[in-house]
Structure formats: structure tokens, C-alpha cells
Amino acid sequence: MKALPTDETRPVAMAARFLERPATREVIRHLPSESFRWLEHDYPSEIARWNYHPEYELHLIRHGTGSYIIGDQVGPFGPGQVALIGPGVPHDWMSDLQTDEVVYNRDVVLQFTGEWFERCASTLPELNPVRALLESSGRGIIFTGSTAARAAAELELIGTAQGARKVSHVFAVLATLAEAPVDEKAFVAREWFSTAGQGDGRLAVEAGLAYIFDNLSTRIRMSDAARLAHMSEPTFSKHFKKSSGLTFSAMVKKLRIANACRLLAQTDDPIASVSLGVGYSNLANFNRQFHTEVGMTPSRYRRLDATERPAGQTPSLDLKTRRPPSILESTAGIPVEDCWAGRAT
């Protein structure tokens, strides 16, 4: 599934256009013959944008470097990075591009629903150890070292296998990640969303997030979000905080500041324009809120190299490793370079 550039749509222009968009709800469509979705794509691509969805997502970077945004955090990525993203967590991987550059086959993506996994686990108790992994994915998890290398190999095999063998590789990659040692996984974002929310809690969070993302650059009212969830404001507020771990206003602030980090890192827009673009009409207030959340001014943040930018509570890791070639790389005869499996500092 690829979006190739044309003479009328140049890659850099495409990337700039995608970057200006707020996070969108991605509708994940499964074929009737499949219980999950596996795909690969280039960058820039129409589907490579800041988005969120109710499915779990496993994401492998094959080629290129750049910046990711997961939840409320921004950090660098490189080849071999494997990430697990929980339902509802906004995410994007933005590659560093030269003029007219396209990074072909940059990503491998696996997406599946929590309902599908629970149906499987209800008849296959051997899957129970994976449940804890999925429950912690609301923070986003980046895997490194041998865990990332083995997971990448299994993700590639899903794309070449058929039938039951394809499913076996899905279970294999989940088992690999569930067994990852502490020093080969890092939680990216703060605990801001619970994948365990059910009923009214899930409804409040999904309606609230949809409303926030649709209005991230304009005025946001909790009363409007509550109305979308068909709840009173007090009821909506209670369920939203219980399921997301944050008040509605705190969630709005985190996502606005995360979007600001994204724009500061990937565009040359004036800081005043960034402020307006993320919903702050008062520049002084934006600077104050940004400093409170990130620990520095927007101008200083923009001047830093990607590896120097703060990424919240994520520990600093030395992730320069050599990974084995993927199945597709071996078949195509593509040499594997020393890979930077992604570093969060």
C-alpha cells in the first residue's frame, strides 16, 4: 500500500501538507479474509500522518531517520526501531527528507483490535502473558536490542506468510515483546491513557479525543465534548479522568504542546504561527505553558538537535546495534548497515 509521488505532487510539498494537519482518527479496514491488518508503505504517504485509532499498532522502521511523536512525547528514530502503540494514542513518524526524496518501504505496520485479541485469549490461555504487555501500551513502548531484532524478523515474516502461518508469526512477535527484558524496552509517554477503559469510560475518552483532535487549533469546550458523548459535564469529566488518567483540560494542554513540538521540529513557521496553530492566541501564554510542560522555551527547543530534545521520563539508552537482515531484505539482496534502533532521551 504505497503513495508514489507524481510530477504534480512533490514529496517535500506532500510532507509539509501532512504536517500541517491535526491528528486524525484513522479508520482501519480489514479484509473479510483477515483478522488483522499488515501493511508496508513509503514516506511521504497519505497514511503517514499524525493519527490515532482504537486498534493496537506495532510499527517497524526499516529505513531513514527522523522524529516520532507518541502520546505527549517527541523523540528521534532510526532503522530497526520497533514500537507498540496502544489504542487511542496519537502517533506519527516524520522522516528527515532531502529535496524530492522518498523513503521507499520505510515502514511495516501491524494493527489489530483488543476484541480480536481477547477472543483469541479466551480460547488460548497461553496468550495470557501478552495481556500485561497490551495493558501497558497506553504509554507507547519502544523495543531495542535483540528483542527489536527478533520482533522485526517476525513482522517481516507476517508479510510473506499465508493462512495459519501468518497468524503464528503474529503470536510470535507478541510473545517476543512480552518477554522483553527491562533493559530492552522503554516507555515513551507519560501514563495518560488506559487501554482497559470500558463502557462509559471508553465512550468518554473516544468522544473527547475525537473532539480535541478536530478542534486542536481552535477554542475547545468540555461542554461540547460531553454533548458528543451524550453525557452531562460532571459525568463526562468523571469518566474521562478515570479512563484517561488526566482531566479533560490537562489532556488538551498535553496534546497542544505535543503538536507544538512537532511543528517546531519539522517546520520553519514563526513561533507566533505555531502558537496560533495549536490553539494559543496569546503568545506569552503559549511560551509559559510550553516551558511548564517541556522545561524550556519554544525557541530553545527548536534550536536543539533531535537527539538533544527532552522526551519526558523516558530513559536514555545506547541503542546502536547491528540487526540481522529482514526476510524481504535478504530476498532482495539489500545490505544491512549498522542500525540505530531508536533512542529516546
Side-chain angles (χ1 to χ4, degrees):
M1 183 173 181
K2 302 175 181 178
L4 297 178
T6 65
D7 292 338
E8 293 79 18
T9 308
R10 298 166 67 85
V12 172
M14 290 169 64
R17 189 171 71 252
F18 297 152
L19 188 63
E20 292 169 356
R21 299 176 181 175
T24 59
R25 161 71 182 270
E26 181 181 1
V27 178
I28 307 299
R29 302 188 185 280
H30 300 280
L31 296 175
S33 60
E34 297 179 345
S35 56
F36 50 83
R37 184 192 194 200
W38 183 97
L39 63 110
E40 54 189 340
H41 65 78
D42 304 332
Y43 185 88
S45 168
E46 176 63 32
I47 63 173
R49 61 187 187 277
W50 199 30
N51 68 86
Y52 68 102
H53 44 73
E55 290 81 7
Y56 293 93
E57 176 170 314
L58 274 169
H59 190 276
L60 166 65
I61 291 288
R62 285 171 169 159
H63 310 292
T65 60
S67 299
Y68 66 73
I69 176 171
I70 298 174
D72 60 355
Q73 298 297 318
V74 178
F77 71 78
Q81 184 189 82
V82 174
L84 172 62
I85 310 300
V89 179
H91 53 276
D92 191 15
W93 282 263
M94 303 160 288
S95 288
D96 301 322
L97 294 178
Q98 302 297 319
T99 302
D100 294 335
E101 181 182 6
V102 175
V103 183
Y104 294 104
N105 295 315
R106 188 193 72 165
D107 310 81
V108 172
V109 177
L110 172 68
Q111 297 163 330
F112 59 91
T113 67
E115 290 78 11
W116 172 77
F117 173 80
E118 289 301 330
R119 288 198 301 271
C120 293
S122 67
T123 56
L124 300 171
E126 292 84 357
L127 290 175
N128 283 333
V130 176
R131 186 173 283 109
L133 169 74
L134 298 183
E135 289 176 350
S136 64
S137 64
R139 295 179 61 185
I141 310 172
I142 290 179
F143 297 89
T144 59
S146 61
T147 296
R150 293 196 304 272
E154 294 292 346
L155 284 168
E156 297 282 12
L157 286 168
I158 295 170
T160 61
Q162 299 294 325
R165 291 190 182 278
K166 182 184 289 282
V167 178
S168 72
H169 292 302
V170 173
F171 290 156
V173 71
L174 291 176
T176 297
L177 300 182
E179 296 164 358
V182 173
D183 62 346
E184 291 190 350
K185 62 182 179 182
F187 295 98
V188 180
R190 297 177 180 89
E191 191 64 57
W192 69 287
F193 185 78
S194 170
T195 61
Q198 300 293 331
D200 289 341
R202 174 174 291 184
L203 176 61
V205 170
E206 289 184 352
L209 287 176
Y211 172 71
I212 292 170
F213 286 130
D214 286 345
N215 298 277
L216 203 57
S217 62
T218 60
R219 185 174 180 181
I220 292 177
R221 300 177 180 87
M222 188 172 70
S223 59
D224 292 336
R227 191 158 45 247
L228 289 174
H230 304 287
M231 297 176 183
S232 67
E233 284 190 56
T235 299
F236 173 84
S237 178
K238 178 185 70 175
H239 287 302
F240 189 92
K241 187 176 189 304
K242 182 178 180 180
S243 289
S244 73
L246 291 175
T247 64
F248 183 74
S249 61
M251 180 70 79
V252 172
K253 176 183 174 182
K254 283 186 178 296
L255 293 179
R256 280 181 165 162
I257 297 302
N259 194 24
C261 290
R262 171 175 168 264
L263 295 173
L264 289 167
Q266 297 291 313
T267 75
D268 295 323
D269 295 346
I271 292 176
S273 296
V274 172
S275 174
L276 288 172
V278 299
Y280 287 96
S281 58
N282 184 295
L283 181 58
N285 183 40
F286 169 66
N287 287 332
R288 183 168 57 253
Q289 298 295 342
F290 190 95
H291 192 282
T292 298
E293 192 71 21
V294 182
M296 63 183 66
T297 63
S299 57
R300 182 186 172 200
Y301 182 89
R302 169 170 272 171
R303 290 194 298 269
L304 294 177
D305 181 81
T307 59
E308 298 174 327
R309 291 176 182 136
Q313 300 170 348
T314 306
S316 176
L317 301 174
D318 181 10
L319 306 179
K320 189 171 179 64
T321 62
R322 173 177 286 276
R323 65 174 174 84
S326 70
I327 298 299
L328 298 183
E329 288 168 336
S330 296
T331 302
I334 300 173
V336 176
E337 302 174 354
D338 284 335
C339 294
W340 184 36
R343 183 174 63 189
T345 59

